[in-house]
Amino acid sequence: MKTLIFDFDGTLADTQQGIVQSVNAALAHMGYPTADSDAITPLIGLSLEHTFATLIGCEESQLPSDVAEVYRRLYDEISPETLRLFPGVGETLELLVQRGYVLGVASSKGHEALDWQLARTGLARYSTTVVAAQDVTLFKPAPDMALLVLRNTHGSSDEAMVIGDTEYDIAMGRAAGCRTCGVTYGNHSAERLLAAGADHVISSFDALAEICL
């Protein structure tokens, strides 16, 4: 393998609390009932429009036109107090770069929040390319984000691996022709990741260094 494509939320950084709070703040702002965290967390990694349509119980075309804008504004206010890296992330990425891997990020977040959080956590320096929601038409589990990372890095799918915490990351990687690795400390269980077809499943981020020898 030469290229590693990372999800951000639930894979590199623990953002679950900030996302749940921001989704509920946005629902309340728009006059909808708030949702339990158990209803929100399975949707992390999908597009904002899909997430809110599912929680509200409507078609995406029926959502308020500013739903993504409202969420992102509230997330920018809430997330700084809840953002933290998972153990071993910085050290492992440093090791992988030293071994010659090209690293990219593929996230359903918007660029403003994603780029800011990568900078705040010190991870921006490891990422050769960052693909966010504005960069593609089709979101996870479609392969578009992973394929765009590969185009930006001149990589090949048969020499790449997608690392993520949800079945949507695994499905994206498989659809793009990449190997896949699921992490169990994020938003989906090991069973769910394996059912999606993950080639590897790890319970701590530093275990990735053993796979990428």
Coordinates of all heavy atoms in Angstrom, one line a residue, residues 153-187:
T153 N -3.7 12.8 -5.3 CA -2.4 12.3 -4.9 C -1.7 11.4 -5.9 O -0.6 10.9 -5.7 CB -2.5 11.5 -3.6 OG1 -3.4 10.4 -3.8 CG2 -3.1 12.3 -2.4
H154 N -2.4 11.3 -7.1 CA -1.8 10.4 -8.2 C -1.7 9.0 -7.7 O -0.7 8.3 -8.0 CB -0.5 11.0 -8.7 CG -0.6 12.4 -9.1 ND1 -1.3 12.8 -10.2 CD2 -0.1 13.5 -8.5 CE1 -1.2 14.1 -10.3 NE2 -0.5 14.6 -9.3
G155 N -2.6 8.6 -6.8 CA -2.6 7.2 -6.3 C -3.4 6.3 -7.0 O -4.2 6.6 -7.9
S156 N -3.2 5.0 -6.7 CA -4.0 3.9 -7.4 C -4.8 3.2 -6.3 O -4.3 2.9 -5.2 CB -3.0 2.9 -8.0 OG -3.6 1.8 -8.5
S157 N -6.0 2.8 -6.7 CA -6.9 2.2 -5.7 C -6.4 0.8 -5.2 O -6.6 0.4 -4.1 CB -8.3 2.0 -6.3 OG -8.3 1.2 -7.5
D158 N -5.7 0.1 -6.1 CA -5.1 -1.2 -5.7 C -3.9 -1.1 -4.8 O -3.4 -2.1 -4.3 CB -4.8 -2.1 -6.9 CG -3.8 -1.5 -7.8 OD1 -3.4 -0.3 -7.6 OD2 -3.4 -2.2 -8.8
E159 N -3.5 0.2 -4.5 CA -2.4 0.4 -3.6 C -2.8 1.4 -2.5 O -2.0 2.1 -1.9 CB -1.2 1.0 -4.3 CG -0.6 0.1 -5.4 CD 0.6 0.7 -6.1 OE1 0.6 1.9 -6.4 OE2 1.5 0.0 -6.4
A160 N -4.1 1.4 -2.2 CA -4.7 2.3 -1.2 C -5.6 1.6 -0.2 O -6.1 0.5 -0.5 CB -5.5 3.4 -1.9
M161 N -5.7 2.2 1.0 CA -6.6 1.6 2.0 C -7.4 2.8 2.6 O -6.8 3.9 2.9 CB -5.8 0.9 3.1 CG -6.7 0.2 4.1 SD -5.9 -1.0 5.1 CE -4.8 0.0 6.1
V162 N -8.7 2.6 2.8 CA -9.5 3.5 3.5 C -9.7 3.1 5.0 O -10.0 1.9 5.2 CB -10.9 3.6 2.8 CG1 -11.9 4.3 3.7 CG2 -10.8 4.2 1.4
I163 N -9.5 4.0 5.9 CA -9.6 3.7 7.3 C -10.8 4.6 7.9 O -10.8 5.8 7.8 CB -8.3 4.1 8.1 CG1 -7.2 3.3 7.5 CG2 -8.5 3.8 9.6 CD1 -6.3 4.0 6.4
G164 N -11.8 3.9 8.5 CA -12.9 4.7 9.0 C -13.6 3.9 10.1 O -13.4 2.7 10.3
D165 N -14.6 4.6 10.7 CA -15.3 4.0 11.9 C -16.7 3.6 11.6 O -17.4 3.1 12.4 CB -15.3 5.0 13.0 CG -16.2 6.2 12.7 OD1 -16.0 6.9 11.7 OD2 -17.1 6.5 13.5
T166 N -17.1 3.8 10.3 CA -18.5 3.5 10.0 C -18.6 2.6 8.7 O -17.7 2.5 7.9 CB -19.4 4.7 9.7 OG1 -19.0 5.3 8.4 CG2 -19.2 5.8 10.8
E167 N -19.7 1.9 8.6 CA -19.9 1.0 7.4 C -19.9 1.9 6.2 O -19.6 1.3 5.1 CB -21.2 0.3 7.6 CG -22.5 1.2 7.6 CD -23.8 0.4 7.7 OE1 -24.0 -0.3 8.7 OE2 -24.5 0.4 6.7
Y168 N -20.2 3.2 6.3 CA -20.2 4.0 5.1 C -18.8 4.2 4.6 O -18.6 4.3 3.4 CB -20.9 5.4 5.4 CG -22.1 5.2 6.2 CD1 -22.2 5.9 7.5 CD2 -23.2 4.4 5.8 CE1 -23.4 5.7 8.3 CE2 -24.3 4.3 6.6 CZ -24.4 4.9 7.8 OH -25.5 4.8 8.6
D169 N -17.8 4.3 5.5 CA -16.4 4.4 5.1 C -16.0 3.1 4.4 O -15.3 3.2 3.4 CB -15.5 4.7 6.3 CG -15.9 6.0 7.0 OD1 -15.9 7.0 6.3 OD2 -16.1 5.9 8.2
I170 N -16.4 2.0 5.0 CA -16.0 0.7 4.4 C -16.6 0.6 3.0 O -15.9 0.1 2.1 CB -16.4 -0.4 5.3 CG1 -15.8 -0.3 6.7 CG2 -16.0 -1.8 4.7 CD1 -14.3 -0.1 6.8
A171 N -17.9 0.9 2.9 CA -18.6 0.8 1.6 C -17.9 1.7 0.6 O -17.8 1.3 -0.6 CB -20.0 1.1 1.7
M172 N -17.5 2.9 1.0 CA -16.9 3.8 0.1 C -15.6 3.2 -0.4 O -15.3 3.3 -1.6 CB -16.6 5.2 0.8 CG -15.8 6.2 -0.1 SD -15.3 7.7 0.8 CE -14.1 7.0 2.0
G173 N -14.8 2.7 0.5 CA -13.5 2.2 0.1 C -13.6 1.0 -0.8 O -12.9 0.9 -1.8
R174 N -14.6 0.1 -0.5 CA -14.8 -1.1 -1.4 C -15.2 -0.7 -2.8 O -14.8 -1.2 -3.8 CB -15.8 -2.0 -0.7 CG -15.2 -2.8 0.5 CD -16.3 -3.5 1.3 NE -17.0 -4.5 0.4 CZ -16.6 -5.7 0.1 NH1 -15.4 -6.2 0.6 NH2 -17.3 -6.5 -0.7
A175 N -16.1 0.3 -2.8 CA -16.6 0.8 -4.1 C -15.6 1.4 -4.9 O -15.6 1.4 -6.2 CB -17.8 1.7 -3.9
A176 N -14.6 2.0 -4.3 CA -13.4 2.6 -4.9 C -12.3 1.7 -5.3 O -11.3 2.0 -5.9 CB -12.9 3.8 -4.1
G177 N -12.5 0.4 -4.9 CA -11.5 -0.6 -5.2 C -10.3 -0.6 -4.2 O -9.3 -1.2 -4.6
C178 N -10.5 0.0 -3.1 CA -9.4 0.0 -2.1 C -9.6 -1.1 -1.0 O -10.7 -1.6 -0.8 CB -9.4 1.4 -1.3 SG -9.3 2.8 -2.4
R179 N -8.5 -1.4 -0.3 CA -8.6 -2.2 0.9 C -9.2 -1.3 2.0 O -9.3 -0.1 1.9 CB -7.3 -2.7 1.3 CG -6.6 -3.7 0.4 CD -5.4 -4.3 0.9 NE -5.6 -5.1 2.1 CZ -6.1 -6.4 2.1 NH1 -6.4 -6.9 1.0 NH2 -6.3 -7.0 3.2
T180 N -9.8 -1.9 3.0 CA -10.4 -1.1 4.1 C -10.1 -1.6 5.4 O -9.8 -2.8 5.7 CB -12.0 -1.2 3.9 OG1 -12.4 -2.6 3.9 CG2 -12.4 -0.6 2.6
C181 N -10.1 -0.7 6.4 CA -9.8 -1.0 7.8 C -10.8 -0.2 8.6 O -10.9 1.0 8.6 CB -8.4 -0.6 8.1 SG -8.0 -0.8 9.9
G182 N -11.6 -0.9 9.5 CA -12.5 -0.3 10.4 C -11.9 -0.2 11.8 O -11.2 -1.0 12.2
V183 N -12.3 0.9 12.4 CA -11.9 1.2 13.8 C -13.1 1.0 14.7 O -14.2 1.6 14.4 CB -11.2 2.5 14.0 CG1 -10.0 2.6 13.1 CG2 -12.1 3.7 13.7
T184 N -13.0 0.3 15.8 CA -14.1 0.0 16.6 C -14.4 0.9 17.7 O -15.4 0.8 18.4 CB -14.0 -1.4 17.2 OG1 -12.9 -1.4 18.1 CG2 -13.7 -2.5 16.1
Y185 N -13.6 1.9 17.9 CA -13.8 2.9 19.0 C -14.6 4.1 18.6 O -14.8 5.0 19.4 CB -12.4 3.4 19.5 CG -11.5 3.9 18.5 CD1 -11.7 5.2 17.9 CD2 -10.4 3.1 18.0 CE1 -10.9 5.6 16.9 CE2 -9.6 3.6 17.0 CZ -9.8 4.9 16.4 OH -9.0 5.3 15.4
G186 N -15.1 4.1 17.4 CA -15.9 5.3 16.9 C -17.4 5.0 17.0 O -17.9 4.7 18.1
N187 N -18.1 5.1 15.9 CA -19.5 5.1 15.9 C -20.2 3.8 15.5 O -21.4 3.7 15.8 CB -20.0 6.3 15.0 CG -19.7 7.6 15.6 OD1 -20.1 8.0 16.6 ND2 -18.8 8.4 14.9

